[in-house]
Amino acid sequence: MKKHLLVAFSFATLMVSAQDKAARYAPVISAKGLKEKLTVIASAEMEGRETGMPGERKAAAYIEEQFRKIGLQPGNGNSYQMTYPVYRDEVSDKSLRVNGRSFEWDKQYFFNLASVSNGTLIINNTVFAGHGVVDSAKSINDLSGLDVKGKMVMVLDGDGGTGSAAGSSFAKMNALRRAGAAGVLMISTAFPKATATATTSNIYFRQATGAPFVVMTISPEIASALLGRTATLSINDLKTIKKGTYTAEMQLMVAKKTTTLETSNVIGVLPGTDKKDEYVFLTAHHDHLGMRNGQIYYGADDDGSGTVSVIQMAEAFAAAAKKGDRPRRSIAFMTVSGEEKGLWGSEYYSEHPIYPLDKTTVNLNIDMVGRVDTERLTADSLNYVYVIGHDKLSSDLAPINEGANNKFTKLTLDYKYDDPKDVNRIYYRSDHYNFARKGVPVLFFYDGMLKADYHKISDTVDKINFDLMQKRVQMIYYTAWEMANRDNMLKRDIPLTMPGR
Ligand SMILES: [Zn+2]
């Protein structure tokens, strides 16, 4: 009896397929391991991981340490970090004088930090354009007959009683920009300001080129001075002023310092065997929203969950390699920064790829896989994941993913977000899109947590369902295993339709 069993067992071992081998290492991906790592990534010490800030740098260092411990090779030459610069402006001096008279910041004016350059701006003529409403549908054009090209243009607040939608500050700004104005001076009575205007800008990715379009808000006192008046006109008086060009010297002195901050994508590689020049990319974003008003945005699900999923999959594939079951293709494990700011890290990678994108067979991207969608009211709410991109770029994606899932994990793979009528446009909203637009087939895995605690301080570790998360991550691992070991790269047989605007 015993002997027979042994014979049967070794025979079965010989017959084991590549996919079944995957099952030996899947248990490395465990609820316990995911929780351990997420407790670090989404801890207060990481301060919400805002791109370029100390907390995000700490998270990147932690991920590097994990990749090193697992035995991955550095993904960027001899470094695990692919650094890229981001910027932040700080304005110290910002004084304004009109005809020699000084005005005070926040008491009589303020401006959008990104809209001014360092140095002194001197303006001798200002155009007054009434309310500055341009609305062709209503045959309103407050700019008609005015020479606004290269000029600073002063406008009153509101639509001037026309009911036009073009009465918003935004619409006026756009109309003036289109007309070639140098900037807009919006007249407002909301002075002195109740809250101080920030003098440090948000972090940004791309430095603007060319002269900026000045966006400044001014009090009626400044407006009156620019119109050559010594007494201050009321808003009602200002409404009666004739449109046209007025002469007054305005001097704006700005001392603006741009600081360059460093951020990074973290990349570790497990080299393959006979197909090691081809790559499977497993990605997530490690950045989140940082801190606001002293409160930490922990980002446990978004996207601490994806980050630790990538690390645990690396552990599983490294364990396989150690036992002689190294994947045929190389696998790159990458966590990117800048996602919350606008997919910066993945954009940077796709514009400066370290591994050829035409040899990158697939990108499996994970952004939020630890929660249950509160809007999902079906019986499978503890056994599903949304899969996005199954019908795009490659007809190989869905059969492989579904095959792996049917064999091992048996989750409901929900394609709801691939419906072209879906308004959330998820396909274009996370890092995989930067691979997709370069032609790399992608699948994106997501739990659907758009309401609940999405982008709130309450997105914390205690809300994660680690058993469900383990199952989802194992499913992605099985999918990656097959894509790394099959004979051919995924075919690229479905052209991507770009989003309509
Ligand atoms: Zn996210």
Side-chain angles (χ1 to χ4, degrees):
M1 185 75 179
K2 200 172 177 188
K3 201 173 179 184
H4 275 118
L5 250 182
L6 264 174
V7 169
F9 179 74
S10 55
F11 183 69
T13 310
L14 283 173
M15 294 298 285
V16 100
S17 73
Q19 276 252 337
D20 296 320
K21 279 185 185 171
R24 294 182 190 165
Y25 311 101
V28 173
I29 298 161
S30 67
K32 182 170 168 277
L34 292 166
K35 187 174 184 177
E36 254 168 38
K37 294 179 179 73
L38 190 59
T39 305
V40 179
I41 282 286
S43 66
E45 202 196 329
M46 301 291 177
E47 296 173 335
R49 312 186 299 279
E50 182 177 1
T51 299
M53 302 304 278
E56 184 262 323
R57 302 316 303 136
K58 259 184 221 171
Y62 171 77
I63 297 157
E64 168 172 345
E65 182 195 309
Q66 297 297 311
F67 284 176
R68 203 183 283 279
K69 217 156 70 183
I70 292 164
L72 299 183
Q73 290 189 359
N76 184 25
N78 46 30
S79 175
Y80 290 92
Q81 308 277 343
M82 181 193 210
T83 56
Y84 63 94
V86 291
Y87 310 95
R88 190 170 53 181
D89 295 335
E90 205 173 324
V91 168
S92 47
D93 190 17
K94 45 195 176 329
S95 45
L96 176 73
R97 262 186 284 185
V98 179
N99 288 336
R101 186 173 154 204
S102 294
F103 292 92
E104 270 184 74
W105 175 260
D106 273 354
K107 246 187 186 167
Q108 287 140 331
Y109 72 97
F110 65 93
F111 52 73
N112 174 329
L113 298 191
S115 80
V116 296
S117 306
N118 191 33
T120 303
L121 179 72
I122 298 177
I123 285 161
N124 293 306
N125 298 303
T126 305
V127 175
F128 178 65
H131 284 88
V133 177
V134 178
D135 185 343
S136 53
K138 290 199 166 212
S139 305
I140 304 167
N141 187 354
D142 286 345
L143 305 185
S144 83
L146 295 174
D147 176 20
V148 301
K149 213 167 176 94
K151 301 276 172 53
M152 290 292 275
V153 180
M154 195 171 13
V155 298
L156 289 158
D157 202 17
D159 61 15
T162 59
S164 167
S168 73
S169 305
F170 188 69
K172 292 177 192 182
M173 221 169 71
N174 281 337
L176 284 169
R177 210 193 280 264
R178 274 199 305 273
V184 61
L185 304 169
M186 314 251 187
I187 304 168
S188 164
T189 53
F191 286 105
K193 281 195 71 186
T195 51
T197 304
T199 51
T200 302
S201 77
N202 290 328
I203 292 165
Y204 57 94
F205 182 44
R206 229 178 263 103
Q207 286 183 296
T209 50
F213 179 85
V214 177
V215 179
M216 189 158 148
T217 305
I218 59 173
S219 69
E221 282 163 282
I222 296 178
S224 305
L226 288 169
L227 292 165
R229 307 295 179 105
T230 42
T232 299
L233 301 172
S234 69
I235 288 291
N236 279 334
D237 292 339
L238 285 165
K239 283 180 185 164
T240 66
I241 297 283
K242 204 169 154 295
K243 287 192 270 183
T245 302
Y246 289 81
T247 303
E249 195 197 61
M250 175 174 131
Q251 239 189 40
L252 179 65
M253 278 160 291
V254 177
K256 180 159 126 173
K257 199 178 80 189
T258 301
T259 311
T260 306
L261 301 168
E262 198 169 75
T263 182
S264 69
N265 301 326
V266 190
I267 315 175
V269 173
L270 184 74
T273 54
D274 63 319
K275 291 180 181 293
K276 65 174 185 301
D277 295 334
E278 294 172 2
Y279 296 85
V280 167
F281 258 72
L282 304 181
T283 59
H285 72 88
H286 67 251
D287 69 300
H288 192 54
L289 305 174
M291 293 177 65
R292 290 174 195 176
N293 305 321
Q295 289 188 304
I296 299 171
Y297 287 73
Y298 295 95
D301 196 30
D302 186 8
D303 181 26
S305 65
T307 300
V308 302
S309 301
V310 168
I311 299 172
Q312 280 242 295
M313 286 193 288
E315 282 179 1
F317 279 107
K322 217 167 274 173
K323 288 271 160 78
D325 291 326
R326 185 175 285 275
R328 299 177 69 190
R329 290 185 180 80
S330 298
I331 305 183
F333 301 88
M334 176 165 82
T335 68
V336 301
S337 65
E339 195 273 351
E340 302 287 6
K341 304 278 188 190
L343 315 187
W344 295 349
S346 53
E347 180 180 329
Y348 189 83
Y349 180 83
S350 68
E351 294 303 330
H352 309 88
I354 299 171
Y355 305 99
L357 293 170
D358 61 353
K359 293 285 179 194
T360 301
T361 183
V362 74
N363 169 222
L364 303 180
N365 184 43
I366 310 172
D367 189 354
M368 300 160 68
V369 286
R371 296 274 301 255
V372 175
D373 175 6
T374 50
E375 314 297 299
R376 191 180 180 90
L377 302 171
T378 43
D380 64 2
S381 67
L382 290 176
N383 196 51
Y384 78 97
V385 70
Y386 296 110
V387 179
I388 295 119
H390 82 291
D391 55 354
K392 296 183 178 63
L393 286 163
S394 176
S395 61
D396 287 333
L397 286 168
I400 297 173
N401 182 219
E402 286 170 12
N405 180 57
N406 289 341
K407 187 159 187 184
F408 297 106
T409 37
K410 300 179 172 59
L411 287 153
T412 302
L413 305 181
D414 192 326
Y415 294 143
K416 147 179 138 167
Y417 289 109
D418 274 333
D419 182 340
K421 287 193 286 287
D422 187 78
V423 295
N424 293 297
R425 308 165 61 76
I426 300 283
Y427 192 77
Y428 307 95
R429 277 177 58 181
S430 189
D431 296 302
H432 52 275
Y433 178 63
N434 277 317
F435 282 88
R437 70 188 179 92
K438 296 285 185 182
V440 178
V442 309
L443 282 180
F444 171 43
F445 303 95
Y446 168 56
D447 60 23
M449 203 238 336
L450 261 186
K451 302 229 166 112
D453 301 300
Y454 179 71
H455 284 196
K456 296 196 180 123
I457 55 170
S458 48
D459 176 8
T460 47
V461 177
D462 57 294
K463 312 259 175 63
I464 302 290
N465 182 328
F466 286 101
D467 291 329
L468 175 55
M469 184 174 165
Q470 172 193 306
K471 204 168 179 185
R472 287 168 174 162
V473 183
Q474 288 186 354
M475 183 276 289
I476 301 163
Y477 155 83
Y478 282 119
T479 304
W481 182 286
E482 172 62 15
M483 289 174 175
N485 283 295
R486 69 202 294 270
D487 286 337
N488 297 311
M489 280 187 38
L490 301 196
K491 53 180 173 289
R492 302 182 177 191
D493 56 346
I494 308 172
L496 182 65
T497 46
M498 292 297 168
R501 282 175 198 278

